[in-house]
Every structure is written in C-alpha cells, then in structure tokens.
Amino acid sequence: MRPGSRRAALCLLLVLLLAWHRERAAALTLSTSSRWIVDQAGHRVKLACVNWPSHLEPVVTEGLGRQPVGAIAGMVVSLGFNCVRLTYPIALATNASLSSLTVRQSLLAHGLAETAGGVEVNNPGFLDLTLMESLKAVVNTLGEKDVMVILDNHVSKPGWCCGDDDGNGFFGDRDFDPDVWVDGLASMATIFADVPSVIGMSLRNELRGPRQNTEDWYTYMQRGAEAVHAANPRALVIMGGLSYDYDLSFLAARPVGVSFAAEGKLVFEVHWYSFSDARAWEAGNANEVCARAARDFERRGGFLLARGLPLFLSEFGADLRGGDLRGNRYFPCAAAVAAKHDLDWAYWALQGSYALRQGVAGMDEVYGVLDWSWTKPRNETVLSRIQALQRPIQGPGYGEALPYTVLFHPLTGLCAAASAAAGTLELRPCNETDAWAYAPPSSTLVRRDAAAAGGLLPCLRAEGRGLPARLGTKACGDALSTWRIASDSGMHVAVDAAPELGGGTLCLDVGADGRSIVTNPCACLRGDGTCDPERQWFKLVTSTRRVARTPLPTLA
Ligand SMILES: *[C@@H]1O[C@H](CO)[C@@H](O)[C@H](O)[C@H]1NC(C)=O
Ligand SMILES: *[C@@H]1O[C@H](CO)[C@@H](O)[C@H](O)[C@H]1NC(C)=O
Ligand SMILES: *[C@@H]1O[C@H](CO)[C@@H](O)[C@H](O)[C@H]1NC(C)=O
C-alpha cells in the first residue's frame, strides 16, 4: 500500500475501534457517599491513578512517539493503576486554531521532527488526527482497557506548569480569563460526556500566585463546577485549593455551595511533594519532620475526610532513582498518611520522558514510573511502594471484618505477617497481612486471628537486639510485650528492654535479610537529622478487609 492509503486505512480502523468500544463499555458512574467514592451499587471504588500529561507545548499526549498507545495503556494496567489523571490545557477547548492542528503539524511547529517520526512508527493512526481527536483516542484506548480517566485542566496556555508569574496561576492572570475558562470546561465536559471511561473532571490544577484569594476561588470554582455538571452530570467534579493545591484549609470555615450538592459529585484534591519542605526533610530529624508534615496535611486538606468530604491526593511522588535524601524521607511518610486514610490518589507521574519540557527535547522524568524510553518500569523496587497503596483497605463494600490493625512498612510497601518459621514475622504483601489488635499509644500487639495456635500466645514480644520479634509462650503484658509509639512520626513501635537485654528502647525493624521482623535499638527517635529511621517505620493502619488466613505454624 502507498503510505497515504495505509494511513487512511489505519484511520478508518481507529474510527471503527473507537465506535466499537463506545458501544461496548457501559458508562461507569461514580458518586460520593460521605468521604468515599462509590459505584452505582454503593461499593467503594478506590482511585489508584497515575498522572499522564497532554498539556505541554505540543498538546500531544506524552509517550506517543515512544510506544504504541495500547502498550502504554497496557502498562498502566499491569502496574496496577485503575485510573489516569490526564492533563490538558484549556486552550485545547477554546482556541480552534490550536485544536484543529494535527499531531504532525503541532510537533513539527515545535521542532519535534524526531517525535513525529516516533509517532509515525508507534502510533501511525495518530499523526493526522487533530489534537482534540488525538486526546479522545488516548481516552478511548484507556477505556478499552477499563482504565478510568479524570480529565485535568492543568493550565490555560500549553506549557510546563507551574510558576507564580506564568500568567496561568489565578483567575484574572494574563492567560487565565475566568469566562474563557468556564467555556473551555463546559466544552470539554460536553465533548467527553458520552465517553464512558471519563469518570471525573478536575477543574484546575494548582491555583497560585499574587492574585489568589478565597473570594474569587468560591466565585469561579463554583461557576466552573456548575458548567461541568450541566454538561456532564455523570462526572465527579474535582476542586483543588490555593497555593499550588496545597491549601483547602479555608473550607473549614465556608463550604462550597453548588446547586447539585445533593447528587454526591464533589471531590476535593490536594498535592504533597518533598520540595515544599525541602530544607526540613534534608536537615531535620525525619520523625519530627514527618510528624509536622502529616499534621500540616491534616490542616491543608486531610480534615475534610472526617467531615465526610472526599479528598483525592492527586499529585505526590519522588525521585525514583534513590539518591535524593529529601524524597527518601518524604515518600514513606506520605505513603503512611495515604495508607492511614486509605486515600484516593494519583501518583506523579507515568511518563519516563517528555517530547519537550521547558525547552528541552527528550527530557527525562526522574519521578516517572516508566523509564526514559517508556518500555519498562524505571525502578521495580520503588514501584512496590506505590503499588502497596492501590488496594482498598476500608470503606463501603470492604467491611468483611471487624476493624483491625495492620503493621504497614511504608519503606517497602509490605506488611507484617506470620512467617514459616514458628512464631516469627516477616514482611509480606499487604493482602496477606495478619490482623492485629492494638490500642495506642501503648498496649500489647495481639494477633487477633491466631487464637490457640500451636501453644503460642498470640502477643508479640521482643527478645533482644537483632533477634526476631516473636509470638511466644510467656504471659502477655510484661515490659517486653508492651509496645508503645516512641517517636513523633508515630511509626516507631517500641518496648523498654530489660537490663539483661541491654536496656534501652528496642524498636521493630527489618532484619539484615530484608524480610524478617526483628527488634533493634531505636534509630534517631528525635533531634538527629543525619540518620535515617525509615527502615524502622511501621504505620499502624486500620483495615476491615477479610484476612487471608494462614494457619500459624506450630512450635518445632
Ligand atoms: C491559538 O493557538 C495558536 C496555535 O498554537 C496560537 O498561535 C495562537 O496564539 C493561539 N491564540 C491565543 C489567543 O492564544
Ligand atoms: C531504585 O530505588 C532504590 C531504592 O531507593 C535504589 O537503591 C536503586 O538504586 C534504584 N535503582 C535504579 C535503577 O534507579
Ligand atoms: C497477594 O497479592 C500478590 C500480588 O501482589 C499475589 O501474588 C498473591 O497471590 C496475593 N495473595 C492473596 C492471598 O490473595
């Protein structure tokens, strides 16, 4: 076939595929039930999303020049994400000369002939689609793999986000006319109203800058919300706060007022990165900094959950290469908070690299779950920490068991459970956790699902430095089986050791094998900013999931 007719055939195929999928997939309608996001049956749907940008200068979804879109969507699924927060600039909806450009034209206009060549190889059907058709085709491909999509208005004018003075920060800024924005939201909501996989619309990413104020926030966010809801009453309407999505604290004094409040469609979104407390993470004691950052998270947005309002942690993430001290301390802290609240979330980000970011072609994304070439995970080790948060542990439909405590180890994304060696524990995938009973700030740690097994009492005891913590035969409730929360982070689980065990405070820790659970002298509980306690961090998280019971091994 000549190249032209080959392209035409591919386009036709694409159109047919899109039509077929539109028919096939039933529209998923989500709504809220107090703080939870639920499906039509009232079952919780936990958003475990990954951010995927289409808002940079070319307005072409990142990665199309590197891998076939179906392969990328397949990786999203195989990595365990059920949803994508797909970004776009409002200009795509409001500037016809932009939205009618083809992918090829836009890439070439930005000097990205190499990316255009990559699209021709990997996604030939996309090259002559308009930018709007291209975005739709990405959404449809995700839908085809049952991946939910949240369309996120990231900026007005295409380009990297965000700066205080980039003209895109707040209503009234150079490129941010509120009327144009409301029109743009309404068109996007209309265009995607009948696309089943689009379950939510995020009104605007990271409002910020010298113009920001709460008065205008209520005025325009409520208008934007009404416009989206009128065009697509099925979609969740997601509202971010001020100061780069760091601040929803003002909602404590004044709730949002929308006409469709009774329909359960409003969700709030908040962001959290290490760089907002960069200096503290680097210089401070990680327990103390984590405690402050976690309290701050509650004040910034976490408090909404207790008021029955859904909160979506729509951006968090860290350098996945392991060399960033701040990120290494921040990430397990943030993961512990996400687990504690069992938050809905979107990791930043999917992309291993960008076609063009901040003037650099082919820029690497060190936070990206995929590697530079979009072929495989950047770092399998760190991936498991993110994946640990994908499984719901509470909420409507997940109440099979009475609430119990999980010992979650955020550094590895694993949980404490009985090991094959009698009475000892090891790190296991959290779907294989044991159910513990614990009453903070100080009590025994009792394995609730292990009554009368092999003559062992079900309470956990410390046996000394570097030795496994065990379920023993001695009576429970003495010093070595009374565990207290010993640091500000709330993640050091400690006993006071008897003099014959060397005295001092012993904390749960991971053994040198990286798997067994032992006790060791507690590391840098406070003050010291030079040492890293994260290996000893165990977050006590409440779950109501059914426990996959493993019979407790008997004493050898
Ligand atoms: C609309 O998009 C075109 C193509 O990118 C651009 O040249 C033009 O400046 C845009 N118009 C406005 C008003 O932003
Ligand atoms: C993956 O992350 C781990 C833990 O942070 C780090 O030690 C390792 O070097 C990273 N590997 C790669 C390939 O970046
Ligand atoms: C737990 O999840 C892992 C994958 O992460 C899977 O291999 C394993 O079978 C699951 N275990 C149970 C009990 O479902």
Side-chain angles (χ1 to χ4, degrees):
M1 273 195 283
R2 285 177 299 115
S5 62
R6 189 175 124 243
R7 199 172 302 127
L10 280 164
C11 281
L12 181 66
L13 184 66
L14 189 68
V15 168
L16 289 174
L17 277 173
L18 297 187
W20 178 67
H21 285 298
R22 186 166 293 195
E23 252 176 23
R24 190 191 63 136
L28 178 59
T29 301
L30 300 184
S31 52
T32 66
S33 169
S34 99
R35 63 147 285 191
W36 308 104
I37 294 170
V38 297
D39 64 13
Q40 283 117 310
H43 261 73
R44 178 174 188 203
V45 174
K46 177 170 178 169
L47 302 178
C49 317
V50 66
N51 281 277
W52 188 2
S54 306
H55 68 275
L56 282 89
E57 281 85 351
V59 200
V60 173
T61 308
E62 298 298 336
L64 296 184
R66 305 244 177 247
Q67 290 296 324
V69 63
I72 300 173
M75 285 190 282
V76 168
V77 173
S78 66
L79 297 175
F81 301 102
N82 62 11
C83 141
V84 162
R85 181 173 179 256
L86 188 63
T87 69
Y88 70 92
I90 211 75
L92 180 65
T94 58
N95 179 343
S97 48
L98 176 70
S99 56
S100 62
L101 288 178
T102 65
V103 166
R104 181 202 307 272
Q105 287 166 340
S106 186
L107 290 173
L108 295 182
H110 288 91
L112 299 171
E114 204 182 312
T115 303
V119 176
E120 179 140 39
V121 171
N122 291 297
N123 294 289
F126 277 68
L127 216 43
D128 293 309
L129 296 182
T130 65
L131 297 180
M132 186 63 93
E133 289 165 346
S134 167
L135 188 70
K136 276 197 207 167
V138 170
V139 169
N140 281 307
T141 306
L142 288 167
E144 182 182 320
K145 308 251 186 223
D146 290 326
V147 177
M148 300 180 280
V149 177
I150 291 167
L151 290 173
D152 163 66
N153 172 223
H154 215 69
V155 286
S156 298
K157 189 181 163 177
W160 182 248
C161 181
C162 305
D164 274 358
D165 305 315
D166 62 9
N168 283 252
F170 200 72
F171 308 106
D173 282 3
R174 188 190 62 230
D175 294 317
F176 198 169
D177 178 331
D179 297 326
V180 172
W181 172 75
V182 171
D183 286 350
L185 286 178
S187 334
M188 287 299 282
T190 305
I191 290 168
F192 288 92
D194 62 345
V195 180
S197 54
V198 174
I199 55 101
M201 305 271 302
S202 175
L203 298 184
R204 181 69 167 201
N205 183 64
E206 300 199 353
L207 294 167
R208 61 190 176 274
R211 272 201 181 76
Q212 68 170 355
N213 68 85
T214 50
E215 228 16 76
D216 286 350
W217 188 93
Y218 284 98
T219 305
Y220 296 121
M221 293 300 266
Q222 288 169 180
R223 262 183 70 193
E226 297 289 353
V228 166
H229 184 72
N232 182 358
R234 191 174 55 82
L236 297 173
V237 176
I238 305 171
M239 290 185 172
L242 297 173
S243 303
Y244 295 81
D245 277 351
Y246 258 63
D247 185 12
L248 290 160
S249 62
F250 52 89
L251 290 172
R254 178 178 163 194
V256 164
V258 288
S259 65
F260 58 92
E263 285 164 55
K265 293 294 178 183
L266 267 191
V267 174
F268 296 95
E269 65 183 316
V270 68
H271 292 177
W272 186 6
Y273 288 109
S274 69
F275 39 79
S276 53
D277 306 297
R279 176 85 199 108
W281 284 117
E282 199 166 316
N285 173 270
N287 289 303
E288 294 167 351
V289 179
C290 177
R292 273 202 304 277
R295 271 198 306 275
D296 205 38
F297 178 81
E298 298 305 314
R299 184 192 59 78
R300 300 194 288 110
F303 72 96
L304 293 170
L305 297 168
R307 296 184 177 210
L309 296 169
L311 181 68
F312 174 39
L313 176 60
S314 61
E315 284 188 24
F316 73 116
D319 186 330
L320 299 185
R321 295 168 305 176
D324 174 36
L325 177 68
R326 296 167 299 182
N328 291 349
R329 292 175 173 180
Y330 142 88
F331 194 81
C333 177
V337 170
K340 168 186 153 195
H341 287 306
D342 200 7
L343 290 175
D344 297 285
W345 52 266
Y347 182 79
W348 183 275
L350 176 66
Q351 66 277 10
S353 56
Y354 300 85
L356 178 68
R357 172 176 151 183
Q358 295 167 296
V360 180
M363 190 193 271
D364 195 26
E365 172 55 271
V366 298
Y367 286 38
V369 295
L370 299 180
D371 69 346
W372 183 87
S373 60
W374 293 64
T375 49
K376 60 177 194 315
R378 180 171 291 267
N379 189 332
E380 297 271 8
T381 315
V382 208
L383 194 60
S384 62
R385 302 180 194 168
I386 303 165
Q387 289 170 326
L389 303 172
Q390 290 168 340
R391 181 172 172 266
I393 55 172
Q394 297 176 51
Y398 295 104
E400 306 112 335
L402 288 172
Y404 60 86
T405 298
V406 174
L407 291 165
F408 174 55
H409 190 250
L411 187 63
T412 53
L414 299 171
C415 287
S419 77
T424 65
L425 305 184
E426 65 181 8
L427 293 174
R428 296 267 287 272
C430 290
N431 58 348
E432 296 173 5
T433 180
D434 290 338
W436 298 92
Y438 183 73
S442 174
S443 84
T444 51
L445 251 171
V446 176
R447 197 182 151 189
R448 215 182 62 187
D449 54 330
L456 291 179
L457 292 167
C459 65
L460 193 67
R461 309 177 60 80
E463 301 212 324
R465 297 173 177 228
L467 297 176
R470 308 176 81 97
L471 304 178
T473 49
K474 289 191 201 144
C476 303
D478 62 341
L480 291 178
S481 60
T482 302
W483 300 87
R484 64 186 168 83
I485 304 298
S487 67
D488 285 3
S489 65
M491 293 193 278
H492 273 100
V493 184
V495 298
D496 293 314
E500 65 270 25
L501 294 183
T505 313
L506 293 176
C507 277
L508 290 183
D509 200 344
V510 180
D513 60 1
R515 191 176 168 96
S516 61
I517 293 178
V518 301
T519 52
N520 273 318
C522 300
C524 44
L525 291 178
R526 53 192 62 84
D528 187 354
T530 61
C531 103
D532 281 298
E534 299 92 79
R535 197 182 164 91
Q536 293 187 343
W537 281 356
F538 285 85
K539 182 70 177 174
L540 303 170
V541 171
T542 301
S543 173
T544 54
R545 294 297 298 272
R546 180 182 301 110
V547 178
R549 275 163 184 274
T550 40
L552 200 63
T554 50
L555 269 181

